């Protein structure tokens, strides 16, 4: 949220809704809830949302977990649990041929230490399944 | 009321689908107007606006600029003084541009599209958040300035794994800074092989013409594809 100091010296939060957020995970949480609402309709009691988040998606699972429940509640979707699966990217070492999963890109090949590699995937970001409660 | 029963519903939907749909429309709209879209992503102060000013002296009125900043229209004013049409998006706090904001900027600029050949979009200064949002560009450019240091590529892999062009900027400072240009390119190659690298200085103009020639080639390819 944008902040400024008003004439009295007090800190003012400038809440402009979707445009007034200061980390993109909040915009992304809104996108997820929008997607869920489109799919499920409003007023459903959603207990769990399952996501897959690749290490090259540019999204922090931690930041998403932080803002998600409050936002969901504000939108009348309860306080769903967010399960985030963070699979590694698949990598083939171009020097020794070893194939491995990689999450931290400053790590070299676990066998030969090389950074000369072919990276497959890693940028996936999907909602996989939702669990709803019927009462 | 009975015991609540739970049921699971398969969705399997990309979270960014809505943004990407609008981005695809932006990209098509620009291509149909024979305009190359360029998304410039880099830290605050890495030299994005200075580069655009330098490009303006070469491309003149053929370049339009969409400026993304949290606040102020200072950058749009700078671009207009350099002789190009500019439209300022003030995000009011958001750390990135999205495809919808760019679509609205294109609505404003479209009546003046006549001479436009290049639509440069200067994203909000940030190496993380803008990487998640396609805007409808044809060329995604990642800028890294010499003073930021040569160790940044693997710290921000989501950006550098997606770029078409790596620009090392402020090379006029190389004599006074320790900066290994090969390291930057090697680390970028460890994320993906499909990028082109240029080294330039918006301040002195060194290397800017080569970058503009590359954009011209890209634009011509766009016409062939269309």
């Amino acid at each position: 949220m944008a902040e400024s100091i008003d004439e009295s010296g007090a800190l003012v939060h400038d809440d402009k809704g979707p445009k007034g957020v200061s980390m993109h995970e909040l915009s992304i949480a809104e996108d997820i809830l929008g997607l869920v609402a489109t799919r499920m309709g409003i007023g459903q009691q959603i207990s769990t949302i399952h996501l897959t988040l690749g290490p090259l998606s540019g999204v922090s699972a931690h930041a998403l977990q932080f803002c998600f429940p409050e936002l969901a509640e504000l939108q009348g979707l309860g306080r769903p649990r967010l399960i985030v699966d963070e699979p590694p990217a698949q990598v083939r070492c171009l020097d020794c041929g070893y194939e491995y999963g990689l999450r931290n890109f400053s790590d070299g090949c676990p066998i030969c230490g090389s950074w000369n590699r072919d990276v497959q995937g890693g940028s996936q970001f999907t909602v996989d399944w939702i669990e709803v409660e019927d009462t | 009321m009975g015991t609540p029963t739970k049921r699971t519903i398969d969705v399997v939907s990309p979270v960014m689908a809505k943004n990407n749909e609008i981005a695809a429309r932006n990209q098509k709209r620009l291509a149909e107007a024979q305009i190359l879209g360029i998304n410039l992503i880099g830290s605050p102060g890495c030299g994005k606006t200075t580069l655009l000013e330098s490009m303006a002296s070469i491309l003149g009125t053929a370049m339009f600029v969409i400026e993304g900043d949290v606040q102020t229209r200072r950058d749009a004013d700078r671009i207009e003084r350099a002789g190009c049409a500019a439209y300022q998006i003030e995000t009011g706090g958001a750390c990135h541009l999205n495809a919808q904001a760019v679509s609205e900027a294109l609505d404003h600029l479209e009546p003046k599209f006549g001479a436009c050949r290049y639509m440069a979009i200067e994203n909000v200064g940030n190496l993380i958040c803008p990487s998640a949002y396609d805007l409808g560009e044809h060329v995604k450019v990642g800028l890294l300035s010499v003073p930021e240091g040569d160790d940044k590529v693997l710290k921000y892999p989501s950006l550098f794994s997606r770029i078409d062009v790596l620009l090392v900027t402020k090379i006029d400072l190389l004599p006074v800074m320790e900066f290994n240009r090969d390291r930057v390119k090697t680390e970028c190659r460890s994320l993906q092989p499909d990028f082109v690298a240029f080294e330039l200085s918006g301040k002195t103009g060194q290397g800017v013409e080569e970058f503009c020639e590359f954009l011209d080639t890209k634009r011509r390819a766009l016409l062939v594809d269309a």
Side-chain angles (χ1 to χ4, degrees):
Chain A
M1 236 169 266
E3 290 175 342
S4 58
I5 307 288
D6 73 10
E7 285 160 7
S8 67
L11 191 64
V12 178
H13 291 281
D14 177 19
D15 187 359
K16 295 182 179 173
K19 279 190 165 183
V21 298
S22 57
M23 66 177 182
H24 73 309
E25 279 78 7
L26 191 47
S27 319
I28 281 168
E30 286 178 333
D31 290 339
I32 294 170
L33 289 167
L35 200 153
V36 170
T38 308
R39 186 69 184 237
M40 308 299 305
I42 298 167
Q44 296 268 8
Q45 217 43 48
I46 294 165
S47 53
T48 308
I49 297 173
H50 186 279
L51 306 175
T52 299
L53 196 58
L56 294 173
S57 62
V59 178
S60 152
H62 182 75
L64 208 51
Q65 297 275 20
F66 178 74
C67 63
F68 196 80
E70 320 295 331
L71 201 62
E73 195 165 34
L74 275 175
Q75 300 197 3
L77 292 164
R79 287 180 74 88
R81 193 163 55 113
L82 200 59
I83 301 177
V84 184
D85 185 20
E86 298 184 84
Q90 290 307 307
V91 172
R92 191 169 64 85
C93 177
L94 295 175
D95 285 327
C96 75
Y98 185 64
E99 293 184 12
Y100 58 102
L102 186 64
R103 288 191 177 86
N104 185 342
F105 288 84
S106 56
D107 292 342
C109 170
I111 302 296
C112 73
S114 170
W115 274 268
N116 185 19
R117 60 197 174 195
D118 177 29
V119 180
Q120 293 295 327
S123 60
Q124 71 271 44
F125 184 22
T126 51
V127 177
D128 304 316
W129 51 262
I130 302 166
E131 191 179 66
V132 291
E133 269 178 34
D134 296 317
T135 49
Chain B
M1 271 180 32
T3 319
T5 53
K6 290 184 174 180
R7 63 196 161 95
T8 302
I9 296 152
D10 284 330
V11 180
V12 198
S13 247
V15 174
M16 306 309 289
K18 194 174 152 200
N19 181 76
N20 293 347
E21 213 173 277
I22 301 168
R25 282 208 296 274
N26 290 345
Q27 193 185 51
K28 187 161 177 276
R29 182 176 178 183
L30 288 169
E32 281 171 359
Q34 306 189 352
I35 297 169
L36 183 79
I38 307 149
N39 183 2
L40 297 168
I41 303 175
S43 306
C46 73
K48 296 183 292 298
T49 316
T50 305
L51 169 63
L52 288 168
E53 287 173 317
S54 183
M55 288 168 68
S57 68
I58 296 167
L59 301 173
T61 53
M63 182 172 74
F64 281 30
V65 178
I66 296 172
E67 281 290 345
D69 281 294
V70 171
Q71 287 190 350
T72 81
R73 50 167 288 119
R74 285 178 186 169
D75 281 359
D77 291 342
R78 279 175 65 182
I79 296 301
E80 281 171 359
R81 278 199 296 276
C84 294
Y87 182 81
Q88 181 78 48
I89 299 172
E90 285 182 69
T91 65
C95 47
H96 59 279
L97 292 178
N98 61 34
Q100 180 58 35
V102 169
S103 170
E104 288 165 21
L106 293 177
D107 291 342
H108 284 275
L109 291 169
E110 192 157 27
K112 297 188 277 182
F113 268 2
C116 180
R117 296 291 171 262
Y118 305 94
M119 184 65 66
I121 306 164
E122 182 181 340
N123 221 310
V124 180
N126 186 322
L127 286 175
I128 308 167
C129 314
S131 73
Y133 289 84
D134 283 337
L135 303 179
E137 68 272 16
H138 302 101
V139 184
K140 198 187 291 286
V141 181
L143 293 87
L144 181 63
S145 66
V146 168
E148 286 172 82
D150 56 18
D151 63 342
K152 293 298 175 287
V153 169
L154 292 183
K155 289 186 176 181
Y156 302 96
S158 71
L159 172 63
F160 292 101
S161 66
R162 293 165 198 231
I163 55 171
D164 304 299
V165 179
L166 170 70
L167 289 188
V168 175
T169 60
K170 303 195 183 183
I171 56 165
D172 51 303
L173 294 175
L174 280 170
V176 292
M177 316 267 338
E178 277 189 33
F179 187 92
N180 183 337
R181 293 177 269 184
D182 290 336
R183 179 184 184 184
V184 171
K185 284 175 231 170
T186 303
E187 292 196 347
C188 200
R189 215 169 290 122
S190 81
L191 297 170
Q192 55 127 332
D194 302 318
F195 68 95
V196 187
F198 294 92
E199 298 171 359
L200 48 80
S201 162
K203 188 179 172 193
T204 67
Q206 188 186 347
V208 178
E209 211 159 314
E210 287 83 346
F211 178 51
C212 289
E213 280 165 17
F214 166 83
L215 294 176
D216 184 51
T217 311
K218 280 292 196 190
R219 197 183 75 83
R220 284 170 201 281
L222 196 70
L223 303 183
V224 175
D225 290 345

